[in-house]
Amino acid sequence: MLQQPSSAPSGSPASRQSARLTSSRQPNRGGIQKRNATPSRVDKDGDLVMDASGAGARGGRAAGDGRGSVIRGSAQTRRHHTPDPLVSRVSTRSTRTGIDTSAIQKAVLRGMGSTEALPKGPRSALRGVRARETTRQVRDALEKISVWGLKESKVANNKDGGISVLIAFLERKATNTDAPAREAVKIKKSRMEGDALVISVRPEDTPKILRINHFTFAGASLKMEGPVAKTTPLDKDASSETPKTIETLKAVLSRRYNVEAKLLDLSQLGSDPELVNIGIFNATSTESKFFPALMKVCDGICASSHEKEEAVVSVSLANNALIDISSVTTLSQTFPAIKNLDLSNNQIPHLKALEGWRWKFRKLDHLILSGNPIEMKEPNYKTEVIKWYPTLTTLNTIQIRSPEEVANVTGSKLPLLILGASFRDEASIAESFVKQFFPGYDSDRTALASAYYDAQSTFSISVNTSAPRGEIDATTHHAASWDQYIKRSRNLMRVNHVPARMSRLHTGTDSIKDCFTTLPATRHPNLLADPHKWCIECHTLPGLPDPSGQSVSGVGGLIVTVHGEFSEVNVSTNETTVTRSFDRTFVLGPGGGVGGIRVACDTLVLRAYGGFEAWKPEEVEATTVSLAPVLAPPHQIPVPDGFGIGGPGKTDEIVQKEVLALELSRATGMTLEYSGMCLEQSGWNLEGAGMAFEQAKVRNESLKRQKLYVLTKLKANLPPEAFVSQ
């Protein structure tokens, strides 16, 4: 007959375990049973051990054990050669299912309050080299963040209320696109409390999540509230602790700096007594901030990059248990010109762990990677490292290149010389436009939009937050947020949804006016007084769509690219609040605006201030022969009206030929007629025409080198009328 279910277990766990073990040894009282010559085995909890015989068959017999084998037991088991029943149950051998049994063993030992030493896993970053006597503290608990806005979003009617979509959105937006997979932000737990979604994340991920505050999600604005910030030595809000921590970091740097050798010794940071005393490595949140804060202190000590380059030539990061450079990557930003770098005796397994420093340290002469697993796992890594650092002469104290070889490599490859801007204007159209546009943008944007934009004109803003930053003067170039721009940013690398992309593309005069008026007031440098702060290029653009529809083949236009800077201005005080760099591209065509032109397309890219050294032309010494051509402004060629521009009765082929002839004339100084003849002989191939011009030339040392945008040529032995009189 059926037996009644037993009552709930009572008594202590030990008594229940004893009862189960006793009942398992009692004789059978009837019923059908499977015959088994081998007695059943149970563990301490009374659970049947299913693989008792299999374990013994696979692993063989261990010393002192008559039932199976102990793969890896506790220290006490190994000393006395006695079986450890717990380890017998939880074998550390890898299983086919991929279960990490060592983690299970570790969890069981911790849960049972065992005094045995826990199995040790891989140590991470700088904390792994802490002094042995220092007790490792428990990782911080998860932190909770409340998120509002889900109920008002378009996904609120999903089966799960849109929770899964919102979690995926938060994780994607909070994770840096360049971050490795192990640093991806993961939401551990989530639950609904009223209208708020409460999520639990790791403490180091909290600021990343909070950065998404006020972002738009599925048509609703998100509002977030994080935990009360805990004061740590490296927190900005720790006003009482921060000065003390900074002084400690300065003392550490002073003690580890060798003036004679110009060496900054940052080895074994995890066991530094001063850093251990202030608890830098006690929590993951402070540990992750430590090295960037240390580099920030270095930036404060040295006023300029030149001073840092003169003060620090060598840096040692040896014996820091580094598995990659993610925790110390800011070294390349603070000391980009070091010549010697020591990464010996770490845990770097492969070249991918050093990928973040590829093409960094452009003056690196000596690199030490000995004592890392990479030597065994990637024995041919040296070949790739040599490609990464063209100035490297010594690797692991072994010379791999001579100084002469380095000079040949660096002298014949990139980067090429910085050349001047290429400005190929038509009848001073672009020049007049630029001179009028930016003063008008600073003074009256509404009138400017009415003057140059029409119903088909487009305008968009794109914020590039990852662009390189230049040397910033703290008195004139203040760092600021992008709050006033980010909601309108149409950065296609960040904005993936088509509706969002379309809504941020402003079309028509009214829409462009509305966008202009919401942007902060600006002040651009005077184009005539500060020309070095501007880089303006202009090129012809045939085949531009005709807004009137009269020309099927399109009309001729200009594409103008402007690189520069501007200052945001406080309207009430007329004082500069922040300086930013920008790149702006205009597509100009014939229209009903000022000067008979219209802005067909206007794209504004904003970035942090990066200076103007990037487009400053480099001078070539007279004794140096450079592979790069010496460029100069093109020849001024008189152009008939309508030449190179589409019109009634002109086919696309004719317009294209006229544009090629005009380009060749500006490059060689020949008239349009002779340029057309030269192009016709070469099959209207611009490169072939240049070669034909070269073959027709004669050497004349008295003539100066003509500055050609593709080839440096000398005037040919062509008749004088073939050239435009200069």
Side-chain angles (χ1 to χ4, degrees), residues 66-114:
R67 296 182 181 181
S69 72
V70 177
I71 303 298
R72 184 171 57 192
S74 62
Q76 182 180 0
T77 303
R78 291 194 296 269
R79 286 197 302 268
H80 298 287
H81 304 285
T82 58
D84 188 339
L86 178 61
V87 180
S88 298
R89 296 197 312 275
V90 188
S91 170
T92 57
R93 173 180 295 184
S94 301
T95 64
R96 294 183 180 180
T97 61
I99 298 176
D100 187 1
T101 53
S102 63
I104 299 176
Q105 177 185 356
K106 186 174 181 180
V108 171
L109 286 173
R110 182 183 293 109
M112 295 180 62
S114 172

Side-chain angles (χ1 to χ4, degrees), residues 250 294-303 307-308 334:
K250 287 183 178 180
L294 192 66
M295 294 296 99
K296 191 71 175 178
V297 173
C298 292
D299 290 332
I301 295 175
C302 300
E307 186 176 341
K308 285 188 290 186
T334 305

